[in-house]
Amino acid sequence: MPFPLERPRRLRDNLTLRELLRETRLSPLDLIYPIFVVPGRGVKAPISSLPRQFHLSPDKAAELAQDFYADGGRALLLFGLPDHKDEVGSSGADDKGPVQEAIRSIKSRVPEMLVITDVCLCEYTSHGHCGVLQDGRVLNDPTLKLLAAQALSHARAGADLVAPSDMMDGRVGAIRENLDQNGFERVPIMSYSVKYASAFYGPFREAANSAPQTGDRKGYQMDPANIREAAYEASLDLQEGADILMVKPAGPYLDVLREIRRLTARPLAAYQVSGEFFMLCAAAEQGGLDYKSAAFESLLGIKRAGADLILTYLAPEFLTW
Ligand code: PBG
């Protein structure tokens, strides 16, 4: 009988002891902040579906980058809302697109900022799907070269890292090959390896104006019920040359995060998505929980489960806490 010899409470007796023995620590360097860039100048417009988040023109994105850096933030993830959409999302590979302009303007203002770009077609296609659409189906192989072209355009503009989120088969390999053939072998790929067809993307789709006009994304994003498939997806991305893997969403998928952590020695990221952020904001606003403590706990849980990096809309607030 361990008790009364064993008393776990001994090590919880005071704050200093608890702090010294803490197993998981969060740092500003764990966080990547996703932002939404739009064409134009002087634009900083609040996003109705995402509290305290903005649509930013490239110049305003650079201003935000400067403030974020001064507060200790080191990495941004860029999403773009283009002027023009078409069937095949060609504006995604436009060297003068909002993401490409924002990369240049952030880099010229804050050269040390790590600029990551989301590579996907859904913000750039008129139908809102993440690939080429034909008879209600998203075609895999024709989508690959469009994604590879977009990633190359981001690299040319100065992106430090590209992050494909489309879930087409073979995209990591296709992007790697195109980057390498064009002299960007040093640019790493952070792959959204394990991305579920989740209801938690709701607020984002409004923010990015990227909701599919017909159908859903279940033909390419993963079934939330599956975890063996997560391991399979991750292993394929590793074979294709992914440098960093990602699990998305994060909070409802901590078991998946743990599973992938065990599977690979590569760095692992987790995306605390728009719906997770929104739930925290809404619950706090309703008086149901303390925002700061609950937000902190949500990030701690993601890190404890095995994430090295967390993509989160909480990043700027976290830095001020
Ligand atoms: C684009 C993309 C999405 C998110 C990141 N990249 C939306 C989607 O797949 O529908 C979601 C991010 C969030 O909810 O915060 N494919």
Side-chain angles (χ1 to χ4, degrees), residues 79 118 120 122-123 130 165-166 192 195 200-202 204-205 210 217 221 248 271-275 313:
F79 291 98
D118 185 89
C120 194
C122 63
E123 295 115 76
C130 304
S165 68
D166 52 281
Y192 288 67
K195 178 174 176 179
F200 289 94
Y201 307 150
F204 172 93
R205 290 185 187 165
S210 67
R217 304 208 200 288
Q221 298 179 350
K248 174 187 173 185
Y271 199 141
Q272 182 181 54
V273 300
S274 56
Y313 302 97

Side-chain angles (χ1 to χ4, degrees), residues 133-181:
L133 195 64
Q134 196 179 80
D135 304 323
R137 275 213 166 68
V138 170
L139 303 182
N140 195 86
D141 301 11
T143 301
L144 298 182
K145 64 174 186 303
L146 298 166
L147 293 167
Q150 186 182 129
L152 178 60
S153 168
H154 292 170
R156 243 190 260 125
D160 295 299
L161 224 151
V162 294
S165 68
D166 52 281
M167 287 303 275
M168 297 302 121
D169 295 332
R171 80 276 170 70
V172 173
I175 290 171
R176 185 72 273 157
E177 190 182 319
N178 201 33
L179 288 176
D180 290 359
Q181 280 172 357

Side-chain angles (χ1 to χ4, degrees), residues 7 24 26 59 67 81 142 149 172 182-183 192 205 221 320-321:
R7 290 181 181 271
T24 310
L26 283 166
D59 56 322
D67 295 343
L81 286 83
V172 173
N182 288 279
Y192 288 67
R205 290 185 187 165
Q221 298 179 350
T320 67
W321 291 340

